Amino acid sequence: MNLRLDAHDLVQLGELMRRAPDIATEEVERAQLHATLLLQGELTLPPEQGGLPIGAGGAAGLAGSISTRVEVTPGRVIGLVESSSPHAAYVEFGTRPHWIGRSGIEALADWARARLSGVDSDEEARGAAFAIRQKIATKGTEAKPIWRTPFQRNLPKVREIFAAAIERIVARIEAGAAS
């Protein structure tokens, strides 16, 4: 999910970046960090409050794999909220029907043991894993927009963060802080 706010879209920001690139970059970087941390916080809320679902890894699962970073290059500030989990994209976008191998069965068994009530033994967990594998093989998995939903919910706040950054840039330039 991308939110692009750059000089081509925001004429005022483009003019400010031309007049005082160091101030503009500093304030946009600050805003980008604020926005990415806001979105990371939303993702790591408890599931009942709209955060990521808790899987077999508990807090160390998908929610624990979320990190943020801000990259600054000339004329560009990019904020990333990302996951190191290899299955994050599959959760977000869903999958087509596909076959799950042995390592996947073990992961599904762990998930079943952690998330399904009444699944206590290894035998029950493996049985549930094979049933889930069969469903995935015939129907795939449903998309769960775990990034899109909080992003869309917080888009007005993110826009406010960047509007405030523009106001700070203007105030700093008017105060003579530009070099």
Side-chain angles (χ1 to χ4, degrees):
M1 182 70 40
N2 289 325
L3 169 67
R4 294 191 99 152
L5 296 174
D6 59 51
H8 298 107
D9 298 328
L10 299 171
V11 174
Q12 183 181 15
L13 183 55
E15 174 60 21
L16 294 171
M17 290 188 89
R18 186 188 64 71
R19 287 178 54 196
D22 293 342
I23 291 172
T25 299
E26 181 181 310
E27 292 296 343
V28 171
E29 180 180 8
R30 178 177 160 194
Q32 190 65 272
L33 180 60
H34 184 174
T36 56
L37 291 173
L38 169 71
L39 294 170
Q40 180 184 27
E42 287 286 314
L43 289 167
T44 56
L45 286 171
E48 59 274 6
Q49 294 177 14
L52 293 172
I54 302 296
L62 196 52
S65 74
I66 305 300
S67 64
T68 62
R69 63 188 163 109
V70 175
E71 296 177 358
V72 180
T73 60
R76 184 178 234 179
V77 178
I78 300 171
L80 301 161
V81 180
E82 55 195 356
S83 171
S84 60
S85 174
H87 74 281
Y90 303 128
V91 174
E92 178 75 14
F93 300 110
T95 65
R96 291 181 172 187
H98 63 281
W99 190 250
I100 294 178
R102 182 178 303 230
S103 63
I105 287 290
E106 295 307 317
L108 285 174
D110 290 343
W111 180 88
R113 195 176 296 105
R115 300 297 297 152
L116 299 178
S117 60
V119 174
D120 300 315
S121 71
D122 288 345
E123 185 178 325
E124 290 170 325
R126 285 187 59 79
F130 280 105
I132 294 167
R133 175 175 77 174
Q134 187 59 38
K135 183 176 180 192
I136 292 171
T138 58
K139 297 191 185 251
T141 59
E142 185 179 325
K144 294 183 176 31
I146 55 178
W147 266 261
R148 274 178 293 194
T149 301
F151 178 81
Q152 289 169 343
R153 184 174 54 239
N154 284 283
L155 193 54
K157 289 179 189 173
V158 170
R159 287 188 175 127
E160 288 174 15
I161 290 167
F162 283 95
I166 291 172
E167 290 176 12
R168 287 191 307 271
I169 296 166
V170 169
R172 287 178 64 185
I173 292 172
E174 288 175 352
S179 48

